[in-house]
PDB file of all heavy atoms in Angstrom:
ATOM      1  N   THR Z 167     -13.267  74.937 -27.681  1.00 94.00           N
ATOM      2  CA  THR Z 167     -13.006  75.378 -26.310  1.00 94.00           C
ATOM      3  C   THR Z 167     -11.689  74.805 -25.807  1.00 94.00           C
ATOM      4  O   THR Z 167     -10.858  75.523 -25.240  1.00 94.00           O
ATOM      5  CB  THR Z 167     -14.148  74.968 -25.372  1.00 94.00           C
ATOM      6  OG1 THR Z 167     -15.362  75.576 -25.815  1.00 94.00           O
ATOM      7  CG2 THR Z 167     -13.861  75.402 -23.946  1.00 94.00           C
ATOM      8  N   SER Z 168     -11.468  73.512 -26.010  1.00 95.00           N
ATOM      9  CA  SER Z 168     -10.216  72.894 -25.584  1.00 95.00           C
ATOM     10  C   SER Z 168      -9.034  73.473 -26.342  1.00 95.00           C
ATOM     11  O   SER Z 168      -7.941  73.625 -25.788  1.00 95.00           O
ATOM     12  CB  SER Z 168     -10.269  71.374 -25.774  1.00 95.00           C
ATOM     13  OG  SER Z 168     -10.559  70.713 -24.559  1.00 95.00           O
ATOM     14  N   CYS Z 169      -9.239  73.796 -27.603  1.00 95.00           N
ATOM     15  CA  CYS Z 169      -8.166  74.384 -28.400  1.00 95.00           C
ATOM     16  C   CYS Z 169      -7.747  75.735 -27.801  1.00 95.00           C
ATOM     17  O   CYS Z 169      -6.554  76.030 -27.667  1.00 95.00           O
ATOM     18  CB  CYS Z 169      -8.634  74.555 -29.841  1.00 95.00           C
ATOM     19  SG  CYS Z 169      -7.323  74.390 -31.067  1.00 95.00           S
ATOM     20  N   ARG Z 170      -8.729  76.544 -27.430  1.00 95.00           N
ATOM     21  CA  ARG Z 170      -8.420  77.859 -26.839  1.00 95.00           C
ATOM     22  C   ARG Z 170      -7.728  77.701 -25.487  1.00 95.00           C
ATOM     23  O   ARG Z 170      -6.783  78.437 -25.174  1.00 95.00           O
ATOM     24  CB  ARG Z 170      -9.705  78.677 -26.687  1.00 95.00           C
ATOM     25  CG  ARG Z 170     -10.263  79.211 -27.996  1.00 95.00           C
ATOM     26  CD  ARG Z 170     -11.326  80.265 -27.739  1.00 95.00           C
ATOM     27  NE  ARG Z 170     -12.475  79.723 -27.024  1.00 95.00           N
ATOM     28  CZ  ARG Z 170     -13.533  79.187 -27.624  1.00 95.00           C
ATOM     29  NH1 ARG Z 170     -13.578  79.117 -28.948  1.00 95.00           N
ATOM     30  NH2 ARG Z 170     -14.549  78.729 -26.923  1.00 95.00           N
ATOM     31  N   ILE Z 171      -8.193  76.757 -24.678  1.00 96.00           N
ATOM     32  CA  ILE Z 171      -7.569  76.532 -23.373  1.00 96.00           C
ATOM     33  C   ILE Z 171      -6.114  76.121 -23.547  1.00 96.00           C
ATOM     34  O   ILE Z 171      -5.212  76.633 -22.866  1.00 96.00           O
ATOM     35  CB  ILE Z 171      -8.346  75.460 -22.587  1.00 96.00           C
ATOM     36  CG1 ILE Z 171      -9.720  75.989 -22.174  1.00 96.00           C
ATOM     37  CG2 ILE Z 171      -7.560  74.996 -21.361  1.00 96.00           C
ATOM     38  CD1 ILE Z 171     -10.658  74.930 -21.642  1.00 96.00           C
ATOM     39  N   ALA Z 172      -5.867  75.201 -24.464  1.00 96.00           N
ATOM     40  CA  ALA Z 172      -4.497  74.736 -24.701  1.00 96.00           C
ATOM     41  C   ALA Z 172      -3.600  75.899 -25.117  1.00 96.00           C
ATOM     42  O   ALA Z 172      -2.500  76.073 -24.572  1.00 96.00           O
ATOM     43  CB  ALA Z 172      -4.504  73.650 -25.772  1.00 96.00           C
ATOM     44  N   ASN Z 173      -4.053  76.688 -26.068  1.00 95.00           N
ATOM     45  CA  ASN Z 173      -3.239  77.807 -26.544  1.00 95.00           C
ATOM     46  C   ASN Z 173      -2.998  78.826 -25.435  1.00 95.00           C
ATOM     47  O   ASN Z 173      -1.890  79.370 -25.294  1.00 95.00           O
ATOM     48  CB  ASN Z 173      -3.922  78.481 -27.735  1.00 95.00           C
ATOM     49  CG  ASN Z 173      -3.898  77.612 -28.979  1.00 95.00           C
ATOM     50  OD1 ASN Z 173      -2.950  76.864 -29.194  1.00 95.00           O
ATOM     51  ND2 ASN Z 173      -4.945  77.710 -29.792  1.00 95.00           N
ATOM     52  N   ARG Z 174      -4.027  79.092 -24.640  1.00 94.00           N
ATOM     53  CA  ARG Z 174      -3.921  80.064 -23.562  1.00 94.00           C
ATOM     54  C   ARG Z 174      -2.899  79.612 -22.519  1.00 94.00           C
ATOM     55  O   ARG Z 174      -2.261  80.451 -21.866  1.00 94.00           O
ATOM     56  CB  ARG Z 174      -5.294  80.242 -22.914  1.00 94.00           C
ATOM     57  CG  ARG Z 174      -5.429  81.423 -21.969  1.00 94.00           C
ATOM     58  CD  ARG Z 174      -6.834  81.457 -21.400  1.00 94.00           C
ATOM     59  NE  ARG Z 174      -7.845  81.704 -22.424  1.00 94.00           N
ATOM     60  CZ  ARG Z 174      -9.030  81.111 -22.486  1.00 94.00           C
ATOM     61  NH1 ARG Z 174      -9.366  80.212 -21.583  1.00 94.00           N
ATOM     62  NH2 ARG Z 174      -9.883  81.402 -23.443  1.00 94.00           N
ATOM     63  N   CYS Z 175      -2.742  78.297 -22.360  1.00 96.00           N
ATOM     64  CA  CYS Z 175      -1.851  77.754 -21.338  1.00 96.00           C
ATOM     65  C   CYS Z 175      -0.466  77.412 -21.878  1.00 96.00           C
ATOM     66  O   CYS Z 175       0.320  76.728 -21.196  1.00 96.00           O
ATOM     67  CB  CYS Z 175      -2.479  76.520 -20.711  1.00 96.00           C
ATOM     68  SG  CYS Z 175      -3.990  76.878 -19.785  1.00 96.00           S
ATOM     69  N   GLY Z 176      -0.163  77.862 -23.067  1.00 96.00           N
ATOM     70  CA  GLY Z 176       1.171  77.661 -23.615  1.00 96.00           C
ATOM     71  C   GLY Z 176       1.394  76.334 -24.301  1.00 96.00           C
ATOM     72  O   GLY Z 176       2.540  75.965 -24.586  1.00 96.00           O
ATOM     73  N   PHE Z 177       0.322  75.608 -24.605  1.00 97.00           N
ATOM     74  CA  PHE Z 177       0.430  74.347 -25.337  1.00 97.00           C
ATOM     75  C   PHE Z 177       0.281  74.646 -26.828  1.00 97.00           C
ATOM     76  O   PHE Z 177      -0.824  74.896 -27.313  1.00 97.00           O
ATOM     77  CB  PHE Z 177      -0.652  73.365 -24.879  1.00 97.00           C
ATOM     78  CG  PHE Z 177      -0.375  72.719 -23.556  1.00 97.00           C
ATOM     79  CD1 PHE Z 177      -0.517  73.443 -22.371  1.00 97.00           C
ATOM     80  CD2 PHE Z 177       0.037  71.397 -23.473  1.00 97.00           C
ATOM     81  CE1 PHE Z 177      -0.268  72.857 -21.143  1.00 97.00           C
ATOM     82  CE2 PHE Z 177       0.288  70.799 -22.246  1.00 97.00           C
ATOM     83  CZ  PHE Z 177       0.147  71.540 -21.078  1.00 97.00           C
ATOM     84  N   LEU Z 178       1.384  74.620 -27.534  1.00 96.00           N
ATOM     85  CA  LEU Z 178       1.371  74.968 -28.952  1.00 96.00           C
ATOM     86  C   LEU Z 178       0.733  73.848 -29.774  1.00 96.00           C
ATOM     87  O   LEU Z 178       0.931  72.663 -29.501  1.00 96.00           O
ATOM     88  CB  LEU Z 178       2.792  75.221 -29.452  1.00 96.00           C
ATOM     89  CG  LEU Z 178       3.565  76.339 -28.745  1.00 96.00           C
ATOM     90  CD1 LEU Z 178       4.954  76.501 -29.379  1.00 96.00           C
ATOM     91  CD2 LEU Z 178       2.797  77.649 -28.794  1.00 96.00           C
ATOM     92  N   LEU Z 179      -0.020  74.239 -30.791  1.00 97.00           N
ATOM     93  CA  LEU Z 179      -0.607  73.265 -31.719  1.00 97.00           C
ATOM     94  C   LEU Z 179       0.496  72.714 -32.613  1.00 97.00           C
ATOM     95  O   LEU Z 179       1.177  73.471 -33.310  1.00 97.00           O
ATOM     96  CB  LEU Z 179      -1.701  73.926 -32.554  1.00 97.00           C
ATOM     97  CG  LEU Z 179      -2.358  73.040 -33.618  1.00 97.00           C
ATOM     98  CD1 LEU Z 179      -3.042  71.840 -32.986  1.00 97.00           C
ATOM     99  CD2 LEU Z 179      -3.348  73.860 -34.441  1.00 97.00           C
ATOM    100  N   GLU Z 180       0.686  71.395 -32.569  1.00 97.00           N
ATOM    101  CA  GLU Z 180       1.752  70.771 -33.349  1.00 97.00           C
ATOM    102  C   GLU Z 180       1.241  70.086 -34.605  1.00 97.00           C
ATOM    103  O   GLU Z 180       2.018  69.790 -35.513  1.00 97.00           O
ATOM    104  CB  GLU Z 180       2.506  69.768 -32.479  1.00 97.00           C
ATOM    105  CG  GLU Z 180       3.251  70.435 -31.320  1.00 97.00           C
ATOM    106  CD  GLU Z 180       4.156  69.490 -30.570  1.00 97.00           C
ATOM    107  OE1 GLU Z 180       3.936  68.257 -30.657  1.00 97.00           O
ATOM    108  OE2 GLU Z 180       5.071  69.968 -29.887  1.00 97.00           O
ATOM    109  N   GLY Z 181      -0.058  69.808 -34.661  1.00 97.00           N
ATOM    110  CA  GLY Z 181      -0.569  69.180 -35.869  1.00 97.00           C
ATOM    111  C   GLY Z 181      -1.811  68.354 -35.615  1.00 97.00           C
ATOM    112  O   GLY Z 181      -2.414  68.413 -34.542  1.00 97.00           O
ATOM    113  N   THR Z 182      -2.199  67.576 -36.620  1.00 97.00           N
ATOM    114  CA  THR Z 182      -3.392  66.741 -36.562  1.00 97.00           C
ATOM    115  C   THR Z 182      -3.007  65.276 -36.611  1.00 97.00           C
ATOM    116  O   THR Z 182      -2.240  64.859 -37.487  1.00 97.00           O
ATOM    117  CB  THR Z 182      -4.336  67.059 -37.736  1.00 97.00           C
ATOM    118  OG1 THR Z 182      -4.729  68.427 -37.664  1.00 97.00           O
ATOM    119  CG2 THR Z 182      -5.570  66.171 -37.698  1.00 97.00           C
ATOM    120  N   LEU Z 183      -3.520  64.513 -35.661  1.00 97.00           N
ATOM    121  CA  LEU Z 183      -3.329  63.067 -35.657  1.00 97.00           C
ATOM    122  C   LEU Z 183      -4.555  62.435 -36.304  1.00 97.00           C
ATOM    123  O   LEU Z 183      -5.670  62.562 -35.782  1.00 97.00           O
ATOM    124  CB  LEU Z 183      -3.158  62.554 -34.220  1.00 97.00           C
ATOM    125  CG  LEU Z 183      -2.022  63.185 -33.407  1.00 97.00           C
ATOM    126  CD1 LEU Z 183      -2.001  62.596 -31.991  1.00 97.00           C
ATOM    127  CD2 LEU Z 183      -0.687  62.966 -34.092  1.00 97.00           C
ATOM    128  N   ARG Z 184      -4.378  61.774 -37.407  1.00 97.00           N
ATOM    129  CA  ARG Z 184      -5.507  61.212 -38.146  1.00 97.00           C
ATOM    130  C   ARG Z 184      -6.044  59.963 -37.468  1.00 97.00           C
ATOM    131  O   ARG Z 184      -5.306  59.070 -37.119  1.00 97.00           O
ATOM    132  CB  ARG Z 184      -5.090  60.895 -39.579  1.00 97.00           C
ATOM    133  CG  ARG Z 184      -4.686  62.114 -40.395  1.00 97.00           C
ATOM    134  CD  ARG Z 184      -4.215  61.731 -41.789  1.00 97.00           C
ATOM    135  NE  ARG Z 184      -3.078  60.822 -41.709  1.00 97.00           N
ATOM    136  CZ  ARG Z 184      -2.866  59.814 -42.563  1.00 97.00           C
ATOM    137  NH1 ARG Z 184      -3.729  59.570 -43.538  1.00 97.00           N
ATOM    138  NH2 ARG Z 184      -1.808  59.052 -42.431  1.00 97.00           N
ATOM    139  N   GLY Z 185      -7.366  59.941 -37.292  1.00 96.00           N
ATOM    140  CA  GLY Z 185      -8.030  58.760 -36.738  1.00 96.00           C
ATOM    141  C   GLY Z 185      -7.470  58.322 -35.390  1.00 96.00           C
ATOM    142  O   GLY Z 185      -7.399  57.133 -35.097  1.00 96.00           O
ATOM    143  N   ALA Z 186      -7.103  59.281 -34.536  1.00 95.00           N
ATOM    144  CA  ALA Z 186      -6.434  58.952 -33.281  1.00 95.00           C
ATOM    145  C   ALA Z 186      -7.369  58.826 -32.092  1.00 95.00           C
ATOM    146  O   ALA Z 186      -6.952  58.406 -31.021  1.00 95.00           O
ATOM    147  CB  ALA Z 186      -5.369  60.006 -32.972  1.00 95.00           C
ATOM    148  N   MET Z 187      -8.645  59.201 -32.276  1.00 93.00           N
ATOM    149  CA  MET Z 187      -9.615  59.151 -31.177  1.00 93.00           C
ATOM    150  C   MET Z 187     -10.867  58.409 -31.616  1.00 93.00           C
ATOM    151  O   MET Z 187     -11.227  58.421 -32.797  1.00 93.00           O
ATOM    152  CB  MET Z 187     -10.018  60.567 -30.745  1.00 93.00           C
ATOM    153  CG  MET Z 187      -8.926  61.409 -30.155  1.00 93.00           C
ATOM    154  SD  MET Z 187      -9.566  63.032 -29.634  1.00 93.00           S
ATOM    155  CE  MET Z 187     -10.599  62.552 -28.239  1.00 93.00           C
ATOM    156  N   PHE Z 188     -11.530  57.780 -30.636  1.00 94.00           N
ATOM    157  CA  PHE Z 188     -12.826  57.181 -30.930  1.00 94.00           C
ATOM    158  C   PHE Z 188     -13.843  58.272 -31.254  1.00 94.00           C
ATOM    159  O   PHE Z 188     -13.794  59.367 -30.700  1.00 94.00           O
ATOM    160  CB  PHE Z 188     -13.347  56.392 -29.728  1.00 94.00           C
ATOM    161  CG  PHE Z 188     -12.634  55.096 -29.476  1.00 94.00           C
ATOM    162  CD1 PHE Z 188     -12.182  54.787 -28.201  1.00 94.00           C
ATOM    163  CD2 PHE Z 188     -12.444  54.185 -30.492  1.00 94.00           C
ATOM    164  CE1 PHE Z 188     -11.538  53.586 -27.947  1.00 94.00           C
ATOM    165  CE2 PHE Z 188     -11.795  52.979 -30.254  1.00 94.00           C
ATOM    166  CZ  PHE Z 188     -11.340  52.680 -28.975  1.00 94.00           C
ATOM    167  N   GLU Z 189     -14.771  57.950 -32.120  1.00 94.00           N
ATOM    168  CA  GLU Z 189     -15.932  58.815 -32.318  1.00 94.00           C
ATOM    169  C   GLU Z 189     -16.760  58.813 -31.031  1.00 94.00           C
ATOM    170  O   GLU Z 189     -16.665  57.898 -30.218  1.00 94.00           O
ATOM    171  CB  GLU Z 189     -16.794  58.307 -33.480  1.00 94.00           C
ATOM    172  CG  GLU Z 189     -16.208  58.556 -34.860  1.00 94.00           C
ATOM    173  CD  GLU Z 189     -16.377  59.989 -35.313  1.00 94.00           C
ATOM    174  OE1 GLU Z 189     -16.922  60.817 -34.541  1.00 94.00           O
ATOM    175  OE2 GLU Z 189     -15.966  60.298 -36.437  1.00 94.00           O
ATOM    176  N   ALA Z 190     -17.579  59.824 -30.863  1.00 90.00           N
ATOM    177  CA  ALA Z 190     -18.380  59.945 -29.647  1.00 90.00           C
ATOM    178  C   ALA Z 190     -19.264  58.712 -29.451  1.00 90.00           C
ATOM    179  O   ALA Z 190     -20.035  58.333 -30.339  1.00 90.00           O
ATOM    180  CB  ALA Z 190     -19.248  61.195 -29.712  1.00 90.00           C
ATOM    181  N   GLY Z 191     -19.123  58.073 -28.292  1.00 88.00           N
ATOM    182  CA  GLY Z 191     -19.965  56.942 -27.947  1.00 88.00           C
ATOM    183  C   GLY Z 191     -19.707  55.676 -28.730  1.00 88.00           C
ATOM    184  O   GLY Z 191     -20.490  54.725 -28.645  1.00 88.00           O
TER     185      GLY Z 191
END
Side-chain angles (χ1 to χ4, degrees):
T167 299
S168 261
C169 212
R170 287 193 297 271
I171 291 168
N173 290 327
R174 192 181 295 140
C175 295
F177 284 74
L178 301 182
L179 177 61
E180 295 188 339
T182 300
L183 303 179
R184 297 177 301 144
M187 295 182 69
F188 287 131
E189 286 283 2

